[in-house]
């Protein structure tokens, strides 16, 4: 998760909402890392998780990442949660909760429907304080 | 929708599940068209809708497509539905219903939660028979 936080901080330096994600292989190696780039790419799908998943799939030559884990600094939105299911991620770790836009423990609760064909194990709260402090500082600065 | 069906048929010729999508500008011009390419790209996010949205956003130089419409041959999955909301698509037309994997009228029902920050108008069933026949023929051939 500290690698994901580094990506989140790098997103901030690019003027993006500071969210970072890394994909970890079954042997424990980081296979991809990404930060949010929606503004830079003019792409509403360029969330940290989506970019990390796509890079890991490209490296793996497969649209699935069995036995891989994804670490992300913020609760995934419904789009990202559904992509995590589609990629067959085994374990999802996220730091801060997102009652406003989250789609795992809030709102659409992507993994809780019969239409979700794969459910990762989910662990919330790892380095939560660091991730949520970063987001709070970012939004406080934008409002200032 | 007939342009989306042409994209769906082209997906089949590439060995992909036949789904196609087009984005239409406020003046009625097609600004992007795409078919499913998850296998070709080894990318679980490369659904027709995602590729069409990303191409339209890139052409528009913006992560939002206000007053644009999206036509897709199958009910969007939760990932695509959430991306449609994020891109601020005004009207979503889809042909065939998808009780198994859909995320608009089924399962996660992406547009029905407070965490969904934009709700397009949704019209289902335009050229439904053509789109669902195409999918049925594709899956029958795969099983044969």
């Amino acid at each position: 998760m500290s690698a994901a936080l580094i990506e989140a901080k790098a997103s901030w330096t690019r003027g993006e909402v500071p969210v970072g994600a890394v994909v970890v292989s079954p042997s424990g190696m980081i296979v991809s890392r990404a930060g949010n780039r929606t503004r830079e790419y003019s792409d509403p799908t360029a969330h940290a998780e989506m970019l990390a998943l796509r890079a890991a799939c490209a490296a793996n030559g497969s649209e699935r990442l069995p036995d891989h884990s994804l670490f992300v600094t913020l609760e995934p939105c419904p789009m990202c949660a559904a992509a995590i299911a589609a990629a067959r991620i085994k374990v999802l770790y996220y730091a801060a909760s997102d009652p406003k836009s989250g789609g795992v423990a809030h709102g659409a609760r992507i993994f809780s429907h019969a239409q979700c064909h794969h459910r990762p194990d989910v662990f919330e709260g790892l380095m939560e304080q660091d991730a949520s402090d970063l987001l709070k500082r970012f939004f406080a600065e934008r409002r200032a």
Side-chain angles (χ1 to χ4, degrees), chain A:
Chain A
M1 190 64 84
S2 51
L5 270 166
I6 289 168
E7 293 300 321
K9 287 171 190 164
S11 294
W12 187 344
T13 66
R14 298 190 300 266
E16 308 268 1
V17 176
V19 180
V22 304
V23 173
V24 174
S25 75
S27 64
M29 301 291 288
I30 292 179
V31 290
S32 65
R33 54 184 91 213
N36 187 24
R37 288 185 188 263
T38 54
R39 291 187 169 201
E40 179 186 350
Y41 290 172
S42 296
D43 181 352
T45 78
H47 287 184
E49 303 94 311
M50 301 291 276
L51 297 177
L53 286 172
R54 292 174 57 205
C57 285
N60 217 28
S62 166
E63 40 174 324
R64 295 188 177 178
L65 299 165
D67 297 323
H68 287 61
S69 301
L70 187 137
F71 292 77
V72 55
T73 58
L74 184 65
E75 178 184 345
C77 79
M79 173 182 72
C80 293
I84 287 164
R88 304 295 192 267
I89 287 288
K90 186 175 185 186
V91 191
L92 164 65
Y93 300 89
Y94 66 84
S97 172
D98 188 359
K100 192 167 160 254
S101 303
V104 175
H106 300 91
R109 290 178 171 79
I110 290 295
F111 305 132
S112 69
H113 303 282
Q115 284 80 0
C116 179
H117 305 308
H118 169 83
R119 286 169 189 77
D121 296 328
V122 178
F123 297 96
E124 179 192 332
L126 187 66
M127 303 183 74
E128 178 175 9
Q129 201 61 54
D130 301 271
S132 83
D133 284 353
L134 189 66
L135 284 157
K136 278 179 196 153
R137 292 205 313 276
F138 173 80
F139 286 111
E141 191 176 277
R142 288 229 297 199
R143 278 192 298 268

